[in-house]
Each structure stands twice: as C-alpha cells, then as structure tokens.
Amino acid sequence: MKMKALITGVRGFVGKYLADHLLLQGIEVWGTSREESPLLCLENGNVKIIKNDLDSEEEILNLLQTVTPDYIFHLAGQSNVKKSWEDKEGTFYANVNKTIFLLDACVRYQQENPQMRLLTVGSSEEYGRVEPHELPIKESTPLRPMSPYGATKAAVSMLIQQYHKAHELNVIHARPFNHIGPGQTEGFVTTDFAKQVVLIEKGQLAPTINVGDLSSERDFTDVKDIVSAYSSILLKGELGEIYNVCSGKSVSINNILNYFLSFSHEDIIINVDKTRFRPIEFKKYYGSSEKIKSELDWQSVHPIEDSLYEIYLYLKEQ
Ligand code: GDD
C-alpha cells in the first residue's frame, strides 16, 4: 500500500519542493494551506490540499483522522528572522502555539496509527550566539538564540524532546541552516539581491542595488538538498533526535552579492541600506553535517554557484 505524507504549509517555498520529492518516491502527498484550493498541480503529480489554519488541537486531529498520514512534515510557520523582530507575538503564535496544538493532536493520532512519524523544522538560528571555537556548529552546541524567531525554534526543539520522552511521540527535529532556490520570496538575501539585479537589467530600477550587512557569513544549502534531507530524516532518522542540515561551509554575503553582479553586464552601484540591518547580527556561521552524513548517508550535492544562477534565471523569466 502507498505511504501517505501530510505537509503543513505546502504552498510555502520549501513545501512545493518537498511535495515533488515525495511524489517522485511514490508517496501520496497531502498538504495544508491557509487558502482554499482544491488541487495544487506540481511537476510530478497532484497534491491534495486541505484548508487548515492549525488553530486548535481538535481541528488538527480532525485533519489527521481525515488524511490518515504515515509521515507528517510540519513546515508551516513564520520563517523570516527580520519580521520576527517586528511581530514577536505573531511569530510565537505561528511557530510555538500552533506546533503545540499539532504535537497534542499527534499524541492522540498516534494511538490510532502507531507507525506515524512527525518531523518538526527548526533552524540554525536556534544556536544564536556561537563562539569562534564552537565552529562548526554541532547538534550538541548550546542554544543561545538571539532573535525572536530563533527563540521560537529553540522552544520547538525542546518541546519535541519532552513529548518524545513523556508521550513516546514519534517525532524528530531538523535544524536547517540557510536554504535557497528559485521561488523563495523577497525578504531573504538571495532573492532580495537577484530580484534587484533583474529589475535593473529590465530597466525597471535605477542601477543601484540596496543591500544590508555584507560582512556576515552563512552556510547555504540548495532547497532540493534540504528536502531530500527532510525525507531521509523522517523516514530513517532516530526518533527524539535532532539533525543539522547544512553544507558545512560558510560563504560571505558579500560573495553572494558578487556572484549575482557577475551574472549581469550592467554597471551596478552598491548602496548599503541600514534599514536592512537586524538588531543583532552573527558574523560567521557554519554547521557540522557529520551526524546526518554518518547516520543517514545524506550530504548536499548542489554547488552554490548553480543554485544562485538558477535563482537569477528564474527571476529573469518572471
Ligand atoms: N534578507 C536580507 N536582505 N538579508 C540580507 C540583505 C538583504 O538585502 N543584505 C544582507 N543580508 C544578510 C542578513 O543580515 C543575514 O546576515 C544574511 O544576509 C542572510 O539573511 P536571510 O537570507 O534573511 O536569512 P537568515 O539567515 O536571516 O535566515 C534564514 O536562514 C535560517 C537558517 O539559518 C531563513 O531562511 C530562516 O527561516 C532560516 O531558519
């Protein structure tokens, strides 16, 4: 019999890639969305979409009993770090309260389907302030989140360990570092930069690109690698565990900008815009992918240059 997956927030940037990946593996895919929509057609088949705001345990239990998933990927949430400073309460409600509703619903649903497995998605922002000697960041590195967003995801990672111990819930937590690819919205660095370059090329923007803090370094992974990691973690990972998902290398934001500038023939002036800065910024960040590599045989395969070029081409075609 076909296995069934449910992706919360399937219409988001990562959801569509994950749905495609699971469909290719012969898994039936359902998804939740805040908007009403009968079917979402993807490249490799159809995903059945159910409108659900994840606003209560009962509402979610109902959803689980209707769909009867074997795998639940919880992607829904507020994922923008800068926005989390502007709407702390909304970010906590979306990322923590709704996850608690889901966890409680899953505890009850697991009694009906003991095989079910749940993946919660956290973030490298959970680690927050990291001392240079702590690099590369391991799953055991202390959590010192330095943004409201990071605090919500750290809370989720603690909660899932409690639910696993207290209720034997079949849950695993992924901690992805920065992920990129075509279709990511503005508000994330690669789309912010590429979009401006493309608008300048189309003559729709003066030849000045606005950028934030270029001095930081981040660990970037292509979204296609990220979703293959999520699927490996949920299908083969150890219950109650946490897995970093990262490339293990850091790239400076200045280099990211230079890649996009090199794709274009325009002469572009760089303007450092202070409104794009965050109240707190970490300078150098990269993770250790040792655990996921040794336990689940996963590693990122898409080179960053290819991902950046794909983002640029995608935006050019819009
Ligand atoms: N967004 C944005 N826009 N960031 C900029 C810009 C700009 O114009 N200029 C410089 N930056 C810098 C940011 O200050 C940050 O240091 C870095 O680029 C990456 O910013 P984002 O792409 O917004 O990602 P993030 O690191 O804050 O958060 C992302 O990664 C997390 C995992 O580490 C998000 O995808 C989170 O949802 C994810 O959990």
Side-chain angles (χ1 to χ4, degrees):
M1 217 177 63
K2 245 187 172 186
M3 299 304 268
K4 225 186 265 183
L6 174 72
I7 304 173
T8 69
V10 73
R11 283 180 171 284
F13 165 53
V14 181
K16 298 195 198 88
Y17 285 92
L18 179 59
D20 260 354
H21 179 85
L22 297 173
L23 288 166
L24 272 174
Q25 291 183 58
I27 295 173
E28 183 178 329
V29 182
W30 292 66
T32 71
S33 166
R34 279 176 297 182
E35 292 143 41
E36 199 82 60
S37 156
L39 278 181
L40 171 66
C41 295
L42 291 156
E43 221 176 293
N44 301 304
N46 288 332
V47 175
K48 296 171 192 70
I49 306 259
I50 296 190
K51 180 177 159 19
N52 195 302
D53 287 338
L54 312 177
D55 264 330
S56 74
E57 180 187 328
E58 289 307 320
E59 196 182 303
I60 299 170
L61 182 62
N62 239 315
L63 167 77
L64 297 176
Q65 287 170 333
T66 307
V67 178
T68 62
D70 306 290
Y71 308 124
I72 303 161
F73 295 87
H74 181 38
L75 303 189
Q78 197 299 92
S79 62
N80 189 304
V81 176
K82 187 163 188 289
K83 191 172 160 202
S84 79
W85 286 100
E86 289 143 21
D87 181 14
K88 300 174 191 75
E89 226 175 273
T91 303
F92 266 80
Y93 185 74
N95 293 359
V96 182
N97 294 39
K98 289 190 181 198
T99 302
I100 293 173
F101 300 147
L102 174 67
L103 290 170
D104 284 329
C106 282
V107 169
R108 290 163 69 187
Y109 174 64
Q110 193 176 304
Q111 289 164 13
E112 295 163 28
N113 181 359
Q115 303 307 319
M116 76 112 225
R117 291 165 81 96
L118 165 68
L119 182 86
T120 51
V121 175
S123 165
S124 59
E125 280 278 319
E126 292 174 43
Y127 296 112
R129 184 172 56 78
V130 171
E131 303 300 335
H133 72 266
E134 293 175 308
L135 293 168
I137 304 169
K138 297 181 196 64
E139 289 81 354
S140 56
T141 303
L143 304 184
R144 308 177 194 107
M146 300 296 274
S147 64
Y149 170 78
T152 65
K153 293 296 186 176
V156 169
S157 74
M158 290 168 186
L159 282 164
I160 72 104
Q161 292 173 87
Q162 295 164 11
Y163 274 75
H164 175 67
K165 289 241 165 2
H167 305 292
E168 292 176 15
L169 187 65
N170 299 340
V171 60
I172 315 183
H173 186 73
R175 268 195 199 132
F177 285 58
N178 292 60
H179 33 298
I180 55 173
Q184 195 168 27
T185 56
E186 283 174 67
F188 298 93
V189 69
T190 53
T191 300
D192 279 354
F193 289 176
K195 181 95 192 251
Q196 292 180 80
V197 169
V198 164
L199 288 178
I200 290 168
E201 286 180 341
K202 290 183 176 170
Q204 293 170 15
L205 197 68
T208 299
I209 184 167
N210 285 307
V211 299
D213 190 338
L214 296 179
S215 68
S216 55
E217 296 182 30
R218 292 286 181 275
D219 182 335
F220 291 93
T221 302
D222 191 284
V223 64
K224 295 184 273 306
D225 287 329
I226 293 279
V227 297
S228 82
Y230 289 174
S231 143
S232 295
I233 293 170
L234 191 56
L235 273 62
K236 304 186 288 183
E238 180 119 5
L239 297 172
E241 284 294 312
I242 292 170
Y243 292 87
N244 277 349
V245 184
C246 56
S247 73
K249 293 185 290 268
S250 69
V251 177
S252 79
I253 303 303
N254 194 46
N255 272 350
I256 298 284
L257 175 63
N258 285 335
Y259 274 118
F260 286 123
L261 294 178
S262 74
F263 299 151
S264 172
H265 296 299
E266 301 286 329
D267 278 333
I268 298 177
I269 299 160
I270 299 161
N271 177 51
V272 176
D273 172 3
K274 293 278 178 195
T275 65
R276 289 173 182 250
F277 281 53
R278 286 103 196 256
I280 305 174
E281 184 74 67
F282 319 114
K283 288 303 164 200
K284 193 178 172 92
Y285 233 64
Y286 60 97
S288 162
S289 54
E290 207 33 58
K291 180 170 174 178
I292 187 169
K293 204 186 278 178
S294 61
E295 286 185 25
L296 306 177
D297 197 25
W298 175 92
Q299 58 184 354
S300 62
V301 293
H302 292 89
I304 186 161
E305 309 86 65
D306 292 1
S307 311
L308 297 176
Y309 195 59
E310 279 173 27
I311 294 166
Y312 167 74
L313 286 185
Y314 169 83
L315 289 167
K316 245 173 122 76
E317 282 158 16
Q318 299 303 296

